[in-house]
Amino acid sequence: MFSILGLINTWIGYINMNVKIKNRVYTIVGGVGNFYLLYVAWRFFANGFIGRGLLFILAFLVLLYFTYLNAIYWFTEKKAKWDISPKIENALGIKSKDPEEEARKKVARMRQAGFVQTNGIFDENQDFLPAEITTSEAELANIQIVADSLKKINYLHLDYDGKSKNTIFKEIKSDGKVRYALGETPQALPYFELKNVEGKLVIYGGINQIESYQLGTVKTIGLMPASEAAKKYHIYLATVVLTGGPFMIAGRSTAMEDNEPFRIDAKIAYTSREKKAAPKVASSYYEKTLSLEDEHLSRRRDRRR
């Protein structure tokens, strides 16, 4: 029985799911497995081992109590009665953590790492400009292909930052803003590139350079048309992130999910074409230096002779 529970636990670990759903599954599996102790206790009683049977009954009751606490915590919004967890934490010096909050922080850290410009690291003093991107129907379809590919390799997390539906509903009610499954931190594409195609700045992106697609055309950079900006500045594609996708809005009593196509957003880094190049040292300087070195070496040879 315990081997079966261990296998189930291993299988669940392979599945990427919301932390709340995962703990609900653990609670159900643990609760069902706990009744195996009753069977073992009954077998001990049947064979005359009363003491051992009572120990298994005691273990069953203790585990049943903690199963009750988990069921109240993960399946309801209520607080369990007769909860001794805080006393145990104080006695052992353990600082309690909210599993959902920890999961959200972990996801946020991962996404923040993904948001760092994958075309290089730009410092805070770097000049950036927002870009307006136009997409044709074919390019919009390509973006959906890229998003689906990223979901398949588990790069794209569409889990609302690990928040529960009830939490999302309360947040939407408080500020009136929709919540996207992509989360609050933008998720950058693993690969993207800016190409000049027939005088237009075209964005390509995807899982990698091999599986890249045409995703959109830069229409404006800042307040300038892209063509004029390219003449005045050296243009670099700093980052490309996904936007859109599944989202939730507030219904009458709960959050309701809807869907919209994925799109892309980009940030452009630039440098002026009028910047002066680093001053070059005159060639006469090198000639004088070399002649002095030759003269010095010749004197040393004469001394040795």
Side-chain angles (χ1 to χ4, degrees):
M1 180 65 184
F2 292 109
S3 299
I4 295 173
L5 292 176
L7 287 173
I8 294 174
N9 180 45
T10 303
W11 292 334
I12 293 174
Y14 292 142
I15 303 172
N16 181 34
M17 64 175 70
N18 182 287
V19 64
K20 193 164 192 174
I21 297 175
K22 182 175 288 188
N23 280 283
R24 283 178 175 179
V25 174
Y26 281 138
T27 301
I28 294 171
V29 172
V32 172
N34 187 34
F35 283 91
Y36 177 70
L37 296 179
L38 279 182
Y39 169 75
V40 176
W42 174 74
R43 295 300 302 167
F44 276 124
F45 287 140
N47 289 281
F49 297 99
I50 306 299
R52 294 183 181 181
L54 289 175
L55 288 176
F56 272 87
I57 291 291
L58 180 62
F60 166 78
L61 293 175
V62 171
L63 293 177
L64 184 65
Y65 167 74
F66 285 107
T67 302
Y68 156 75
L69 293 182
N70 281 332
I72 295 297
Y73 183 83
W74 292 112
F75 288 89
T76 71
E77 299 295 330
K78 300 177 182 179
K79 188 175 181 179
K81 296 181 179 179
W82 311 295
D83 186 1
I84 63 171
S85 300
K87 295 181 180 179
I88 296 175
E89 291 172 356
N90 291 332
L92 299 177
I94 301 173
K95 187 177 180 181
S96 62
K97 296 181 180 180
D98 185 352
E100 287 189 276
E101 184 64 27
E102 290 298 312
R104 285 195 291 270
K105 289 180 180 179
K106 183 178 179 181
V107 171
R109 285 194 297 269
M110 291 172 62
R111 290 177 179 172
Q112 188 63 34
F115 183 64
V116 174
Q117 296 85 354
T118 52
N119 268 6
I121 299 175
F122 297 87
D123 59 38
E124 296 178 354
N125 299 322
Q126 184 69 46
D127 294 322
F128 292 103
L129 284 174
E132 181 184 350
I133 301 169
T134 60
T135 53
S136 64
E137 291 185 4
E139 290 169 336
L140 192 61
N142 288 340
I143 295 174
Q144 312 316 307
I145 293 173
V146 171
D148 290 339
S149 300
L150 294 176
K151 284 188 287 185
K152 288 179 181 178
I153 64 173
N154 204 28
Y155 178 88
L156 200 62
H157 300 276
L158 302 176
D159 60 356
Y160 298 91
D161 285 339
K163 297 178 182 178
S164 66
K165 197 171 184 179
N166 188 48
T167 301
I168 295 171
F169 176 69
K170 291 178 180 178
E171 290 181 356
I172 298 173
K173 278 290 187 181
S174 64
D175 59 19
K177 298 179 181 179
V178 301
R179 292 296 188 274
Y180 283 89
L182 281 169
E184 297 179 5
T185 305
Q187 299 186 45
L189 297 182
Y191 169 80
F192 50 85
E193 183 181 8
L194 187 65
K195 295 182 180 180
N196 193 323
V197 180
E198 298 179 354
K200 296 180 180 180
L201 298 178
V202 181
I203 296 175
Y204 287 79
I207 295 178
N208 50 47
Q209 191 171 6
I210 298 174
E211 299 182 41
S212 64
Y213 299 84
Q214 182 174 325
L215 304 180
T217 303
V218 181
K219 183 179 180 181
T220 61
I221 299 174
L223 300 176
M224 301 176 62
S227 57
E228 292 184 15
K231 294 177 182 178
K232 190 175 181 180
Y233 302 103
H234 293 288
I235 303 299
Y236 308 95
L237 191 57
T239 186
V240 176
V241 298
L242 280 173
T243 62
F247 63 93
M248 283 191 181
I249 58 175
R252 290 185 178 180
S253 59
T254 185
M256 302 174 63
E257 190 171 49
D258 204 345
N259 202 1
E260 68 179 45
F262 286 99
R263 297 184 182 276
I264 59 169
D265 195 6
K267 187 176 286 187
I268 301 293
Y270 69 96
T271 57
S272 176
R273 291 184 180 273
E274 298 176 357
K275 284 187 177 180
K276 295 181 180 179
K280 295 182 179 180
V281 181
S283 59
S284 59
Y285 169 80
Y286 293 103
E287 293 172 358
K288 291 178 181 178
T289 304
L290 290 173
S291 62
L292 288 173
E293 289 180 354
D294 291 340
E295 183 179 351
H296 178 68
L297 289 172
S298 62
R299 288 178 180 176
R300 291 183 63 182
R301 293 193 196 99
D302 293 339
R303 288 176 184 175
R304 289 177 182 175
R305 291 175 184 174

